[in-house]
Amino acid sequence: MFTSIRNKFSSKIVKEDEKVEFFSNPIDINSIDSSNKVKFEIKGRIYENVNSIANLIEKSEINDIPDQIKESQLFKKRISLFVSDSERNKRVPVYLIFDPTLTQQQILDYVGDTNEKRRNFEELNRQLTGYSERSGKDGHFIVNFEIEIDFFIQLLNRFNINPNSNLDLNSKFIRPICINEANEIFEGCQTLLTSNGISIISDIDDTIKISHVYDKKILLENTLAKLYEPVPGMAQLYRDWQQIWSIQSQNPVGLHFVSGSPWQMHGSLQRFILSGDKIGDPSVPIEQEESFRFSPTFPIATIHLRLIDWKNIETIIQLFGETGAVKIENLKYLLDIFPNRKFILVGDSGEQDPEIYAKISRNYPAQIKYVFIRDIQVAYNIEIEKDEQKRMQKLFENCPTVTWRLFTNPEELRNVVTGFL
């Protein structure tokens, strides 16, 4: 028995030069199948770093990447994931950590700092160990977990992360981890939600993060070469909503960021959402870090981005091109896995958010309750001859169950939906 596990394990070891990025997803703790098990999936990507970004820059129009951006250390760090080599046909080992307090060293001690110890952990913790199907050519993988409900609830209660017992979502998550042969630990964050309640689905660029999507050159610089700057007041607004609605509904409030940004930005966007900026980035001098804490941190959230391979693009700008179909797909995914939740959609007027949200509202009238759109013409003092009020009126004229509103300052929305349940 042990020999068969040893052979099985050795074919799935993550090598010392391989890295793993987990994508955040929500887990419905009430999703129990006929076999009395909780089922969910963990998604990620396995890859190797490369030493040069020359190939990517060569594929780009010269005006896409100004010299001052290309020389930035922050740019080189962020762009590195775009030119990494995807590892295909890999079966990635993933372990689930329920204790939110464990440090990385404690995780290493717990799971094992050698292949032999990790084999022992797998033998003793089979429900907490999973292997992906073989990764695709883009390095993406999915691991499916099935955990007996009694054992699952026991773990949630043991570590005080059961959403049914405490409405503070910021401490309710599971940590999928992977360890390579160099003992590097790669960690994700999967939020725990109940089937019922309220969820906020929010755009990122120009909704919570100042990006200036209407000007692709400025967008490129803000995305790849500058510390991210939050839209003032949005983090506090989401935290206030979460507190109010969790009490009203007696269920934890979910927060999901859906963006057309490429998935390669997942790590930096996740750090921005959790810290208010790219705090801890080694390319940022320590003395600068405190000065970039623009706002309170956002609540813990899932992030859903666009899957794209840099090898299939002609220019960097294409990474941030039309994304409507992708956003609709991700919105449908969240609405379909939580059919009993009510949703509030928040976006901006810069690109297609109003059109996308109107279409989704028509298709999911029982779930979508509010749509809030940040008017960037007013927010950024842009002279674009658009009547956003008429635009919204026309789009939502056939959505009688949805309340919509344009806003500039988040303070305008603080009490808009109090008591709507």
Side-chain angles (χ1 to χ4, degrees):
M1 177 71 172
F2 188 80
T3 302
S4 64
I5 292 177
R6 183 193 305 272
N7 293 336
K8 171 185 172 184
F9 188 95
S10 62
S11 66
K12 303 166 187 174
I13 292 172
V14 177
K15 298 176 182 178
E16 63 179 19
D17 56 351
E18 294 174 339
K19 300 181 182 298
V20 170
E21 173 90 18
F22 287 107
F23 304 143
S24 53
N25 261 327
I27 296 174
D28 182 353
I29 68 165
N30 303 125
S31 179
I32 304 169
D33 68 359
S34 58
S35 61
N36 218 26
K37 293 180 179 179
V38 176
K39 292 186 176 182
F40 55 91
E41 59 185 24
I42 304 294
K43 297 179 180 180
R45 181 197 180 225
I46 183 168
Y47 63 94
E48 288 184 18
N49 281 336
V50 295
N51 296 324
S52 173
I53 63 172
N55 290 338
L56 183 57
I57 293 176
E58 285 175 1
K59 292 182 67 170
S60 305
E61 296 172 356
I62 190 167
N63 290 329
D64 283 355
I65 308 179
D67 289 340
Q68 66 268 27
I69 295 182
K70 288 187 286 186
E71 295 303 316
S72 160
Q73 289 302 311
L74 186 57
F75 168 78
K76 292 177 181 178
K77 182 177 179 63
R78 285 189 181 155
I79 205 68
S80 63
L81 280 176
F82 289 93
V83 293
S84 56
D85 286 334
S86 301
E87 294 296 308
R88 64 187 305 172
N89 294 323
K90 294 285 295 189
R91 298 200 63 193
V92 181
V94 175
Y95 313 108
L96 298 181
I97 303 296
F98 282 70
D99 187 345
T101 68
L102 287 185
T103 65
Q104 290 215 335
Q105 183 57 54
Q106 289 171 326
I107 290 174
L108 196 60
D109 294 339
Y110 173 53
V111 177
D113 57 2
T114 66
N115 290 334
E116 188 72 22
K117 290 179 181 178
R118 290 196 275 274
R119 283 195 289 270
N120 291 336
F121 178 88
E122 176 184 356
E123 174 70 4
L124 296 171
N125 299 276
R126 294 195 175 192
Q127 291 192 78
L128 304 182
T129 302
Y131 288 93
S132 70
E133 296 299 321
R134 296 192 180 277
S135 58
K137 63 180 181 180
D138 54 6
H140 291 267
F141 63 83
I142 296 176
V143 184
N144 291 297
F145 280 91
E146 297 182 9
I147 302 179
E148 294 175 0
I149 184 60
D150 290 342
F151 180 52
F152 186 74
I153 296 300
Q154 178 186 344
L155 288 170
L156 297 185
N157 292 334
R158 177 182 174 186
F159 297 110
N160 193 29
I161 58 173
N162 191 334
N164 285 316
S165 63
N166 187 324
L167 299 178
D168 179 12
L169 186 63
N170 287 306
S171 62
K172 306 300 180 287
F173 57 88
I174 296 175
R175 304 158 71 185
I177 66 142
C178 181
I179 306 174
N180 69 8
E181 286 190 304
N183 280 334
E184 285 184 279
I185 297 176
F186 308 100
E187 181 177 337
C189 178
Q190 313 295 306
T191 58
L192 300 167
L193 290 175
T194 52
S195 296
N196 298 316
I198 302 168
S199 282
I200 305 161
I201 298 181
S202 174
D203 179 50
I204 295 178
D205 290 309
D206 290 323
T207 300
I208 68 162
K209 179 173 76 70
I210 295 174
S211 301
H212 295 280
V213 295
Y214 58 88
D215 187 317
K216 297 304 181 185
K217 290 183 180 180
I218 297 177
L219 170 65
L220 187 67
E221 187 170 356
N222 286 337
T223 302
L224 297 177
K226 287 185 176 180
L227 289 168
Y228 298 151
E229 181 179 354
V231 172
M234 290 302 294
Q236 189 61 52
L237 176 68
Y238 288 174
R239 292 179 73 86
D240 290 347
W241 278 355
Q242 189 181 71
Q243 182 179 19
I244 293 169
W245 295 338
S246 63
I247 294 171
Q248 288 186 4
S249 68
Q250 285 300 295
N251 281 289
V253 173
L255 177 57
H256 316 283
F257 289 107
V258 174
S259 171
S261 294
W263 67 265
Q264 289 90 340
M265 306 305 300
H266 183 275
S268 59
L269 288 172
Q270 187 173 53
R271 284 184 286 274
F272 160 72
I273 288 165
L274 295 179
S275 69
D277 212 308
K278 196 115 184 290
I279 306 301
D281 187 330
S283 65
V284 180
I286 293 176
E287 62 270 16
Q288 289 186 16
E289 290 190 350
E290 289 301 319
S291 67
F292 285 104
R293 292 186 182 273
F294 290 96
S295 67
T297 58
F298 289 88
I300 285 181
T302 61
I303 306 173
H304 309 266
L305 305 177
R306 180 166 60 128
L307 299 181
I308 188 170
D309 190 336
W310 73 273
K311 295 176 182 177
N312 297 327
I313 65 171
E314 295 298 326
T315 72
I316 288 283
I317 289 296
Q318 285 182 274
L319 292 171
F320 307 96
E322 291 296 317
T323 59
V326 175
K327 293 186 76 170
I328 288 174
E329 181 181 342
N330 283 327
L331 287 165
K332 286 182 176 179
Y333 166 76
L334 291 167
L335 291 159
D336 288 341
I337 64 173
F338 289 107
N340 296 320
R341 281 188 159 255
K342 307 303 180 186
F343 288 82
I344 291 84
L345 309 184
V346 187
D348 65 88
S349 62
E351 292 192 309
Q352 304 174 67
D353 284 351
E355 286 74 15
I356 292 170
Y357 288 173
K359 181 175 182 179
I360 285 292
S361 296
R362 289 191 292 271
N363 293 337
Y364 294 84
Q367 290 175 263
I368 308 299
K369 294 302 178 183
Y370 282 85
V371 173
F372 299 122
I373 298 294
R374 181 172 181 252
D375 189 343
I376 67 165
Q377 288 191 79
V378 178
Y380 296 151
N381 194 25
I382 307 169
E383 293 188 5
I384 303 175
E385 294 185 0
K386 282 185 180 180
D387 188 328
E388 297 296 357
Q389 194 74 17
K390 287 185 177 180
R391 176 188 181 189
M392 295 292 290
Q393 288 173 346
K394 183 176 181 179
L395 286 170
F396 287 91
E397 62 183 356
N398 294 320
C399 303
T401 62
V402 176
T403 299
W404 62 266
R405 179 168 175 170
L406 285 167
F407 74 98
T408 304
N409 189 323
E411 285 295 322
E412 301 168 34
L413 303 181
R414 188 161 304 282
N415 299 317
V416 169
V417 294
T418 300
F420 81 95
L421 293 173

